[in-house]
């Protein structure tokens, strides 16, 4: 089973070697999150369209990034961006970011995931960044239940996989040292899918996992 989800938020024309490294790792990837402009942007970007097509040809699932603003963004805005991702970049799935964890917002996300699947998204990932109410496991294929620095991740308790409904857990870790065995740490903490990058600060997802770094 492929276990590596890669959110890489850099332009292919600016980081061609890094994107080539992502493509070279295709057999190891659970998916790649495509994020041209904090979402699909206002118009198609040919460079992102090309890299998305190359990823699909390599057998990689491409997820379109959309920020949901913890249920504050109107649903129609989220769905419009999902439609653009599908139309412009041929994404096969959706990566919904800043997803609420509480049961009060569950209905909002149930409508969003239903809309995503109606548009043709075969994979839906919800990035809560922390464990959500258990009901969310029924909505998504992938639940991001941790997003944070390596130092905090090391302090999280080990536990078995938590969602027998079929939803997989994913952990996204930044500030990871080169010698960190993140795959083992993720398995110990119940995650079937993971990504850990060395980047820190406001834009850690502009770096690749150590194992994917292109040769210099």
């Amino acid at each position: 089973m492929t276990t590596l989800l890669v959110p890489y938020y850099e332009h292919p024309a600016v980081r061609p070697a890094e994107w080539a490294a992502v493509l070279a790792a295709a057999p190891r990837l659970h998916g790649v999150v495509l994020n041209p402009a904090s979402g699909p942007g206002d118009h198609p970007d040919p460079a992102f369209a090309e890299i998305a097509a190359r990823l699909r040809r390599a057998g990689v699932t491409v997820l379109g990034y959309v920020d949901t603003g913890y249920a504050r963004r109107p649903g129609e805005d989220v769905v419009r961006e999902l439609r653009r991702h599908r139309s412009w970049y041929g994404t096969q799935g959706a990566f919904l970011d800043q997803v609420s964890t509480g049961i009060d917002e569950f209905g909002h996300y149930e409508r969003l995931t239903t809309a995503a699947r109606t548009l043709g998204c075969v994979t839906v990932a919800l990035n809560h960044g922390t464990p959500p109410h258990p009901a969310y496991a029924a909505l998504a294929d992938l639940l991001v239940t941790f997003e944070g620095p390596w130092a905090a991740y090391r302090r999280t308790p080990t536990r078995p996989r938590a969602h027998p409904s079929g939803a997989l857990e994913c952990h996204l870790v930044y500030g990871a040292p080169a010698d960190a065995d993140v795959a083992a740490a993720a398995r110990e903490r119940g995650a079937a899918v993971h990504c850990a990058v060395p980047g820190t600060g406001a834009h850690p997802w502009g770096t690749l996992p150590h194992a994917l770094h292109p040769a210099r």
Side-chain angles (χ1 to χ4, degrees):
M1 177 183 175
T2 52
T3 61
L4 190 62
L5 178 75
V6 178
Y8 187 52
Y9 302 162
E10 292 292 327
H11 198 281
V14 177
R15 296 283 187 269
E18 284 76 3
W19 275 108
V22 174
L23 281 161
R28 302 160 51 194
L29 303 183
H30 187 84
V32 170
V33 182
L34 201 74
N35 187 8
S38 297
D42 296 325
H43 53 80
D45 186 313
F48 274 104
E50 179 185 358
I51 201 68
R54 293 175 67 188
L55 287 165
R56 292 195 309 274
R57 288 196 296 269
V60 178
T61 299
V62 182
L63 308 178
Y65 174 98
V66 180
D67 182 5
T68 72
Y70 298 109
R72 292 189 295 270
R73 286 195 74 198
E76 57 267 27
D77 291 351
V78 174
V79 174
R80 179 168 55 250
E81 293 194 358
L82 289 173
R83 187 177 293 111
R84 287 176 176 175
H85 271 300
R86 289 278 296 153
S87 175
W88 297 346
Y89 306 116
T91 52
Q92 305 112 308
F95 183 90
L96 302 184
D97 196 18
Q98 298 202 104
V99 175
S100 302
T101 60
I103 195 62
D104 289 346
E105 296 82 17
F106 178 82
H108 176 75
Y109 286 101
E110 185 175 34
R111 291 187 291 275
L112 289 182
T113 55
T114 298
R117 296 194 191 280
T118 299
L119 289 172
C121 294
V122 297
T123 300
V124 175
L126 301 181
N127 184 11
H128 304 274
T130 191
H133 188 281
Y136 284 90
L139 298 183
D141 304 285
L142 201 63
L143 294 178
V144 180
T145 57
F146 180 92
E147 182 177 359
W150 173 250
Y153 192 52
R154 291 182 64 192
R155 296 193 297 270
T156 60
T158 61
R159 58 179 177 79
R161 236 176 252 185
H163 297 294
S165 67
L168 300 176
E169 283 200 44
C170 175
H171 294 167
L172 301 179
V173 184
Y174 50 83
D179 60 351
D181 189 349
V182 182
R187 287 193 301 270
E188 291 169 354
R189 289 158 178 79
V193 180
H194 71 277
C195 184
V197 299
T200 58
H203 185 45
W205 306 112
T207 59
L208 289 177
H210 290 289
L212 268 62
H213 279 184
R216 298 297 184 185

